[in-house]
Amino acid sequence: MKRSDDSEREKRRKRRRLIQELGEQRIPYLSPTDPGYQDLWDSSYAGLALRQSGTLPDGLHEKVQSALITLQRRGCLLRDLVRVRDRDVFTAVSRALVGQPGYTYRYLDTRLFTIPWHCEGEEGQKDEKEKHCCDSDLRDACKALWELNQFFCSDVQQTNVRGVKRCRSDTENSEDTPGEGTCEESVKDRLLEKQEEEEEEDSGQGCSHSSPPSSAPPPAISSLVQFNVTLINYMDPTAMTQLKEEPYYGMGKMAVGWHHDENLVPLSPVAVYSYSCPAEPKNEEVTEKDGEGQSKEQETETEGEGTSKEEQKEEGEGLGKEEVEKEKVCWRVGLKVAWDIHTPGLALPLQSGDCYYMTDDLNRTHQHCVLAGDTARFSSTHRVVQCCTGTLDYIQKRCSEALENLHTNTEKNTKSLSSLLPSTLQCIEDIHNEVEFEWLRQYWFQGRRYARFCSWWTKPMEQMEKDWKEMERMTQLLLAVVEDENTTQENRREIADILLNALTDRQQHRQTWRDRCQSSLAQTLPLEEAPVDRPYWSNDDPDMPLPFDLSDIINRVESLLWRM
Ligand SMILES: O=C(O)CCC(=O)C(=O)O
Ligand SMILES: [Fe+2]
């Protein structure tokens, strides 16, 4: 649901006031050197586990690290232009999705499409086109990430969390005395409630579409973990001028703000490989975008926390200096219990090569953020994404389902709708909108970035566009039925209603995507990354069954409904 600008403004105003009220006070959080750290971990963050760098299989680090550098060098890692509470923002981190061929992952109104990973023994089995979607360099890189994925799949289930080392040797002291002074509960309570309320809205768990029953297997149980994608993150803090301070605990600069991971299979774990590299690897393809190229004026997203520049300034003010200094050289993951202001937060430092797991319902009951260190850093975050409506297979089946209702008379060379059953028509118009807005426009909005280094999605997207065009034809046929005054069709009114709703939705969504494509932030992108508003056609394009702008047709159907 779209919320009005007014209520957005009001929310931001309240939040700003609460942050001002909180002033210099911060909620306590513990780091490994603080007394009580280990106890806090055991009691309140038990779903978190650390797999230290030195305990990974031989050779895996080298493979994975060189794979990550390859992805960066080849220009595969890009900042996403996401939507946070109706506003366009760039993610502070650059990202790419690698995973099962044909899978996608949706976060913050953005559907990422996988660069397929290639698994062992696959060569020779796949048909030619799949085998050569990327060059051998990228194929090797993706294969290394698949190997890491295999390791995580078996490790995360063997490691019934307690088996993994929780911490380093610097936590002997287990006295339970949270480091910082008391704070005014009332202010914090309200602040936290506000914060949670806002964040929850951004973190819909589970499937967001009410689609027909899917053939997907039941949710993974913890004994059988199959991570199906990894979202790769990269950030060089020295190139970023706009990192936000962590506002509630004073943990320091955030690369990724507080959030729950979205769209995962409930209770599924997340496994993260962390690689801090001393120097920024050169990006061959997009030299323009490096360093200074990242405009200082751009706002950056911190998932679920989109705040204005003024707020960022205010949040930074009043921070105790020594709090900012704490552990500042090391990258860390921050954790907090959701809906709870009494439990101190936890900051887990990550040495290069360290991995951590979020298991059980940690992702649901807690939020996490990423705190920037001094060096550039990659992470590979392996997930079991909810894929009931997110695979190419799924959407192709949906398209076929819709097109079944299009009957071609080969003799007369005419087309007609086989069934005019309202439920069938409703389903077809839903599919039409789904394929246009969840797939075609999502794909093209991210520009030509995929096709640049991997051709896997090119053909399927072309086919999908053809199918979608057939659906435009079907809507045109439906319009003709509704407008035929002489029809004996008894449920004409019901059909007109269905059509009107679908067209109104379509018109609105087309406008939203046009706005996203034309936003001032979108204009800052280099040509090959710039959003493409596709499909787009002029209203009198003879090749297209219906105009792009549906307002005339919507008016026609509306007035027709009045007269019925
Ligand atoms: O980089 C990390 O350690 C975690 C990143 C993260 O939370 C995410 O991508 O959702
Ligand atoms: Fe996350």
Side-chain angles (χ1 to χ4, degrees):
M1 269 294 251
K2 252 190 173 224
R3 273 160 295 169
S4 72
D5 288 352
D6 279 358
S7 81
E8 278 304 323
R9 214 170 293 130
E10 174 66 7
K11 267 192 169 172
R12 282 210 286 276
R13 203 181 55 78
K14 277 189 193 157
R15 190 164 173 275
R16 205 155 45 216
R17 213 187 52 225
L18 286 167
I19 286 168
Q20 269 166 2
E21 267 184 79
L22 186 68
E24 303 219 352
Q25 294 172 21
R26 289 293 180 270
I27 303 160
Y29 76 96
L30 300 188
S31 294
T33 47
D34 292 321
Y37 177 75
Q38 193 57 50
D39 288 346
L40 177 67
W41 186 329
D42 290 340
S43 60
S44 303
Y45 297 88
L48 175 72
L50 175 69
R51 157 74 67 202
Q52 285 179 268
S53 169
T55 65
L56 256 68
D58 279 349
L60 194 53
H61 288 299
E62 291 72 15
K63 277 190 197 172
V64 169
Q65 293 180 7
S66 107
L68 293 170
I69 287 174
T70 300
L71 290 180
Q72 166 66 2
R73 221 174 6 92
R74 297 293 300 277
C76 306
L77 303 176
L78 297 167
R79 297 171 73 190
D80 292 320
L81 185 45
V82 297
R83 283 222 129 183
V84 178
R85 286 191 284 282
D86 290 344
R87 298 187 320 140
D88 302 297
V89 272
F90 277 114
T91 54
V93 292
S94 306
R95 295 190 149 137
L97 187 71
V98 176
Q100 294 275 68
Y103 276 52
T104 67
Y105 180 52
R106 204 178 187 290
Y107 85 112
L108 298 177
D109 281 343
T110 303
R111 183 179 298 283
L112 298 179
F113 296 74
T114 51
I115 305 171
W117 55 34
H118 300 268
C119 36
E120 224 128 53
E122 193 182 61
E123 310 283 315
Q125 284 174 20
K126 295 276 165 192
D127 42 83
E128 287 301 297
K129 66 175 194 301
E130 251 186 60
K131 209 162 83 181
H132 296 300
C133 62
C134 309
D135 64 34
S136 63
D137 226 22
L138 268 184
R139 280 212 302 278
D140 288 349
C142 293
K143 194 163 154 206
L145 292 165
W146 176 81
E147 279 178 47
L148 175 64
N149 196 67
Q150 289 301 96
F151 168 72
F152 279 150
C153 288
S154 64
D155 195 52
V156 83
Q157 68 197 47
Q158 277 166 22
T159 326
N160 79 49
V161 180
R162 309 201 172 265
V164 183
K165 246 193 147 194
R166 290 281 181 78
C167 55
R168 291 165 210 291
S169 48
D170 51 6
T171 55
E172 326 71 59
N173 197 342
S174 65
E175 228 178 287
D176 202 1
T177 45
E180 285 152 72
T182 53
C183 39
E184 266 171 52
E185 303 274 286
S186 63
V187 175
K188 277 196 295 180
D189 263 325
R190 278 153 54 209
L191 176 63
L192 266 266
E193 270 163 28
K194 185 87 207 119
Q195 171 204 354
E196 303 289 358
E197 174 195 314
E198 290 181 0
E199 283 162 355
E200 292 302 311
E201 285 164 2
D202 289 317
S203 60
Q205 302 268 333
C207 269
S208 51
H209 289 258
S210 51
S211 304
S214 92
S215 54
I221 39 170
S222 54
S223 63
L224 184 79
V225 175
Q226 281 298 344
F227 295 116
N228 45 24
V229 303
T230 172
L231 181 60
I232 312 286
N233 295 313
Y234 171 77
M235 201 192 85
D236 176 8
T238 63
M240 301 298 298
T241 52
Q242 284 231 322
L243 290 184
K244 272 177 63 180
E245 291 290 340
E246 189 293 301
Y248 308 111
Y249 302 83
M251 287 177 172
K253 296 258 188 251
M254 299 188 293
V256 183
W258 290 111
H259 67 284
H260 303 272
D261 286 348
E262 292 182 77
N263 291 322
L264 305 183
V265 166
L267 296 180
S268 66
V270 176
V272 180
Y273 182 91
S274 183
Y275 169 40
S276 325
C277 55
E280 184 189 8
K282 269 270 166 299
N283 175 342
E284 286 169 353
E285 317 250 326
V286 225
T287 41
E288 287 279 281
K289 246 198 90 193
D290 287 352
E292 282 305 291
Q294 284 171 343
S295 161
K296 293 189 171 70
E297 304 311 317
Q298 290 173 4
E299 280 185 44
T300 51
E301 153 275 7
T302 46
E303 293 169 46
E305 285 278 334
T307 48
S308 66
K309 271 177 257 177
E310 308 91 80
E311 284 171 309
Q312 288 181 24
K313 237 173 63 212
E314 284 167 25
E315 284 168 18
E317 278 167 11
L319 259 188
K321 263 276 177 292
E322 60 299 339
E323 290 168 24
V324 183
E325 298 296 316
K326 208 181 222 169
E327 306 244 16
K328 107 173 186 231
V329 287
C330 198
W331 280 81
R332 291 164 301 156
V333 58
L335 285 115
K336 72 190 212 27
V337 181
W339 304 105
D340 177 336
I341 59 150
H342 305 289
T343 312
L346 193 83
L348 169 65
L350 297 165
Q351 307 300 329
S352 188
D354 280 354
C355 304
Y356 67 89
Y357 301 147
M358 296 190 284
T359 66
D360 304 327
D361 59 354
L362 191 79
N363 181 51
R364 189 179 59 79
T365 54
H366 295 60
Q367 288 158 310
H368 57 282
C369 70
V370 182
L371 301 154
D374 282 348
T375 62
R377 181 231 189 207
F378 292 93
S379 66
S380 179
T381 66
H382 299 244
R383 305 154 193 249
V384 189
V385 304
Q386 185 105 24
C387 52
C388 51
T389 61
T391 65
L392 178 62
D393 247 13
Y394 158 82
I395 194 63
Q396 282 176 337
K397 286 202 180 93
R398 291 277 280 167
C399 287
S400 311
E401 190 188 334
L403 296 182
E404 264 171 31
N405 202 39
L406 185 62
H407 173 75
T408 309
N409 184 327
T410 37
E411 271 173 32
K412 295 189 198 154
N413 197 23
T414 55
K415 300 197 174 192
S416 60
L417 299 174
S418 308
S419 158
L420 289 176
L421 207 64
S423 59
T424 306
L425 298 171
Q426 176 75 59
C427 177
I428 293 167
E429 293 305 315
D430 286 350
I431 295 173
H432 187 157
N433 284 353
E434 185 176 3
V435 72
E436 177 169 339
F437 302 112
E438 282 302 324
W439 293 82
L440 295 171
R441 296 197 185 281
Q442 283 281 6
Y443 181 81
W444 288 108
F445 179 73
Q446 293 165 66
R448 304 172 201 283
R449 54 152 90 171
Y450 292 109
R452 258 195 313 169
F453 42 78
C454 172
S455 62
W456 199 92
W457 287 96
T458 308
K459 282 262 151 54
M461 293 315 288
E462 275 170 20
Q463 183 56 48
M464 218 182 280
E465 198 167 281
K466 281 189 189 138
D467 290 353
W468 163 85
K469 200 170 149 187
E470 289 291 89
M471 292 178 219
E472 285 282 300
R473 172 86 51 214
M474 292 167 84
T475 305
Q476 183 195 36
L477 290 168
L478 187 57
L479 179 65
V481 170
V482 165
E483 287 194 319
D484 180 359
E485 303 280 346
N486 303 318
T487 186
T488 50
Q489 192 60 42
E490 51 185 52
N491 47 15
R492 202 168 135 235
R493 188 168 218 293
E494 197 180 347
I495 296 176
D497 252 337
I498 290 168
L499 179 62
L500 181 62
N501 279 333
L503 292 176
T504 311
D505 261 16
R506 199 166 299 160
Q507 177 79 344
Q508 243 168 37
H509 279 113
R510 280 187 188 162
Q511 191 54 50
T512 306
W513 279 106
R514 272 189 91 63
D515 293 346
R516 275 183 85 171
C517 288
Q518 291 167 359
S519 76
S520 51
L521 287 187
Q523 312 287 319
T524 66
L525 287 165
L527 200 62
E528 69 275 14
E529 284 170 43
V532 180
D533 189 16
R534 177 170 169 173
Y536 183 75
W537 64 102
S538 71
N539 286 341
D540 50 8
D541 186 337
D543 199 34
M544 294 298 292
L546 290 171
F548 176 88
D549 181 349
L550 296 167
S551 43
D552 280 353
I553 297 180
I554 289 174
N555 287 341
R556 260 155 58 190
V557 179
E558 249 167 5
S559 62
L560 200 142
L561 270 161
W562 275 108
R563 283 184 275 118
M564 272 184 192

